[in-house]
Amino acid sequence: MNAHLGRAAVAVAASAVTLSLAACGGAEGNDGRGAAERDAVRVGLLLPENGTARYEKFDKPLIEKEVSKLTRGRGEVVYANAKQDAALQNSQVDEMITKKVHVLIIDAVDAKAIAGAVKKAKEAGIPVVAYDRLAEGPIDAYTSFDNEDVGKVQGKALLEALGDKAKDGQIVMMNGSVTDPNAKLFKSGAHFVLDGKVNIGKEYDTVEWKPENANANMAAALSALGKGKIVGVYSANDGMAGGIIAALKAAGVSALPPVTGQDAELAGVQRIVAGEQFMSVYKPYAPEAAAAAEMAVALAQGEKISGIINQMVDSPTTKGVPSVLIPGVALTKANVKSTVVDDGVYTVAEICTDKVRAACEEIGLK
């Protein structure tokens, strides 16, 4: 993949939004309601946690902006964050039903545990768009990144970093939480690339994706394998990569092995610039948010979404879910500027703090 895929995906999503707006334009819709009434949609947005920077900083404002654009400023986003609590998220769905939202966008804390709440929403006549994670239950649509491909991108980057030393030692695999169906896909994609080409010394499924749990797992791996035997670490995301790198440093590992990541979090980008983390996967949030907003507004207005989707996906409970899947991009030192800076995710000033300013200058990030 190259650095321009992010903007290409944004362009595709933008084109789809434009087409949808054209289809919905006019004074009166198919159901006889006037434009103002049709546009006054209430979108319930349920995000899973606020420990990861992306949800509050990117996903929420991007979805709010797109809903406003699609409804000519008349739509409303009703927001709740579950703070990594699946039971709380289920109760938030109940609250949204009580508030009579017209459609729900749900990024599930636990894809299986949310199924009953999704069923309740459907029984109340509220369509559900699964966002970022494939929620179980009778969902109407789904948007995320091509998650198995994300794992492949990570695996290929790790092999690239290891070069002809791939089998000189062992790697540690730090997968995500078993409650997140995406984690299973990242893991599958990574194994597809890595199996047979590296020696996997230890592998963990990290409870709740928490950096502190990844830190503890990495400390255990170092104790079991020996710090001189680990040549690389597959980390499924940037938060865990931070915990892993802290464990490596605490163990006195001076020449850090290549560590992967995902989400292009600011701290992760700074570690990449500083040479502590080898790569991340940049997932342009704008097209994902645009797709979710577009499908949600269309469903709330009783419009078809067949012109928006690019794939059909099966969940454990629902077959043939209309979906929009978006590619991710390998982010390394070489393309920080052409990805997260040029796409407006971070400014050079945000990345290049005093701690990494010299490293920024070395790669021409000024």
Side-chain angles (χ1 to χ4, degrees):
M1 290 192 178
N2 61 49
H4 301 292
L5 275 176
R7 287 181 292 285
V10 172
V12 168
S15 298
V17 169
T18 303
L19 287 170
S20 179
L21 280 170
C24 295
E28 204 171 85
N30 297 333
D31 56 7
R33 288 183 297 163
E37 186 182 353
R38 284 170 53 75
D39 284 343
V41 299
R42 303 183 78 221
V43 178
L45 174 61
L46 300 180
L47 295 182
E49 45 105 342
N50 55 6
T52 304
R54 62 165 287 190
Y55 296 110
E56 300 282 338
K57 182 171 181 179
F58 299 113
D59 299 82
K60 178 178 178 279
L62 283 167
I63 288 170
E64 288 172 335
K65 182 180 177 183
E66 288 298 326
V67 168
S68 179
K69 184 196 300 181
L70 290 162
T71 61
R72 302 159 184 85
R74 299 182 183 114
E76 176 189 0
V77 173
V78 184
Y79 176 64
N81 190 298
K83 300 177 182 176
Q84 200 61 269
D85 185 332
L88 173 60
Q89 190 168 62
N90 283 347
S91 69
Q92 289 170 341
V93 173
D94 289 338
E95 290 172 19
M96 293 288 179
I97 293 170
T98 301
K99 290 175 180 176
K100 297 186 177 178
V101 297
H102 299 114
V103 63
L104 278 170
I105 298 172
I106 302 177
D107 190 342
V109 173
D110 183 322
K112 190 178 288 292
I114 200 69
V118 171
K119 187 170 182 287
K120 279 187 193 176
K122 287 288 289 182
E123 288 170 351
I126 301 170
V128 177
V129 177
Y131 182 69
D132 207 56
R133 295 171 183 169
L134 186 55
E136 294 188 20
I139 59 173
D140 295 88
Y142 168 58
T143 184
S144 187
F145 293 87
D146 189 336
N147 294 311
E148 191 158 342
D149 188 63
V150 166
K152 290 177 182 177
V153 168
Q154 293 169 318
K156 287 173 186 173
L158 185 56
L159 283 181
E160 177 189 321
L162 293 172
D164 58 9
K165 297 179 181 177
K167 284 202 168 183
D168 284 1
Q170 296 177 306
I171 73 159
V172 175
M173 289 194 71
M174 203 73 66
N175 305 305
S177 170
V178 293
T179 63
D180 181 350
N182 288 359
K184 182 179 179 181
L185 294 169
F186 303 143
K187 181 178 178 179
S188 172
H191 272 289
F192 180 85
V193 172
L194 294 172
D195 286 355
K197 295 176 183 174
V198 296
N199 302 312
I200 300 170
K202 286 288 181 180
E203 182 167 8
Y204 302 88
D205 294 315
T206 310
V207 176
E208 294 183 347
W209 288 96
K210 287 186 175 178
E212 57 265 37
N213 293 335
N215 179 275
N217 290 340
M218 192 65 213
L222 284 159
S223 177
L225 301 175
K227 65 182 184 182
K229 303 290 187 181
I230 297 170
V231 295
V233 183
Y234 167 82
S235 171
N237 79 353
D238 290 343
M240 296 196 308
I244 289 162
I245 290 165
L248 289 164
K249 288 180 175 180
V253 178
S254 54
L256 293 172
V259 179
T260 68
Q262 177 183 186
D263 290 329
E265 290 197 352
L266 180 58
V269 174
Q270 289 170 328
R271 287 192 297 269
I272 289 169
V273 169
E276 294 182 343
Q277 182 175 327
F278 178 67
M279 64 82 71
S280 183
V281 179
Y282 168 46
K283 302 189 299 186
Y285 304 124
E288 186 185 25
E294 186 183 5
M295 290 192 290
V297 170
L299 288 166
Q301 293 178 336
E303 297 287 341
K304 292 180 179 179
I305 60 170
S306 54
I308 304 169
I309 67 167
N310 61 14
Q311 292 202 41
M312 302 294 277
V313 170
D314 294 339
S315 82
T317 58
T318 307
K319 304 300 180 189
V321 178
S323 304
V324 176
L325 298 186
I326 296 156
V329 181
L331 172 66
T332 65
K333 275 187 181 183
N335 64 354
V336 170
K337 183 178 184 306
S338 63
T339 53
V340 293
V341 174
D342 285 355
D343 282 359
V345 178
Y346 306 118
T347 64
V348 171
E350 285 175 314
I351 297 168
C352 299
T353 57
D354 289 344
K355 189 177 178 181
V356 294
R357 184 161 290 121
C360 280
E361 288 175 359
E362 282 182 23
I363 62 171
L365 205 58
K366 300 175 182 177

